[in-house]
Amino acid sequence: MKVLMASDFSTGSDLALDRATFLVRQYQAQLVLLHVLEASDSSLVGALPALDRLRQEMETALRNKAASKGIQCEIRVRIGKDFVDIILEARERQVDLIIVGAHGRHYIKDALFGTTAERVISKGDRPILVVKRPAQGPYMRVLVGIDFSPESRNALEYAMKIFPQAELYILNVCGLVYEGKLRQVGLRDEEILSLDNVEYMRHLKELDRFLSGTAAYSIAKRLVAKGYPATIILAQAAHLKADLIVVGTRGASGLKYILIGSVARHILRDADCDVLAVRCERPSFELP
């Protein structure tokens, strides 16, 4: 297993490094520790000696970070654009997992344009673990969002492979039944409730079929709930005291399920626990 951890020396990156350190020791993984030096930050465009000196300083800082954790790793400093160079480095090194902190140094820029993590998820082609909490040990309670698509199956299988020790919860979110409109056409409350129950049972049966033939069928706890996906997933994660939410980056709905657009931002920004986003197809966006 090869892991890429991207650091901008923020508090969020320190949390991510703690989790990366734990995973490296748990799986005897190879670690690449990366910092992307943005030319706009350094104001040193065209000044090669100064850039080389700054690169060396960043390499030393990364080595000191690794030494403080007692781990061996490959140190990399790139000059470019944060999310672009994280994705490029992951491709070049053929890593299995990218780890980043939930928030970096640029809170105002994150609010306006999205966090680095969001952009890596949107444009990248590797699983990405977004760390929000201090690493207290292995993930013990994992909630996986399922929409019956191949992408969500891939996310489930990846989570089971990487975190086999965890207690696993599988959640499918039903579409909302628009009660107001149903009442307008004359349906009574008991008829609306009956429709709700039929939809619930249909999703529960579909979830059983989806899990059939997988290792999760016999060990995972199944959950079906009605509502808006991001809200329900966050609520269930809080209720279960989950320490990790796992999702696929595409799904069956027109919103491309969870990790595209406002739903993605809702989960990534509002989840109290870490989030693992798994992508199984190459994005159409091509990096330079």
Side-chain angles (χ1 to χ4, degrees), residues 163-209:
F163 311 115
Q165 75 289 333
E167 185 178 6
L168 192 63
Y169 291 83
I170 310 296
L171 171 64
N172 173 250
V173 181
C174 297
L176 289 167
V177 174
Y178 296 99
E179 297 180 4
K181 291 184 178 180
L182 293 177
R183 288 194 178 92
Q184 287 177 9
V185 298
L187 267 68
R188 299 187 302 273
D189 287 348
E190 57 269 25
E191 292 174 313
I192 294 173
L193 180 60
S194 177
L195 287 175
D196 278 341
N197 290 337
V198 169
E199 186 70 2
Y200 175 86
M201 293 305 300
R202 185 180 72 82
H203 278 255
L204 197 58
K205 290 178 181 178
E206 183 64 24
L207 185 55
D208 272 346
R209 284 195 292 269

Side-chain angles (χ1 to χ4, degrees), residues 153 207-214 217:
R153 182 184 295 278
L207 185 55
D208 272 346
R209 284 195 292 269
F210 181 82
L211 296 177
S212 179
T214 71
Y217 186 84

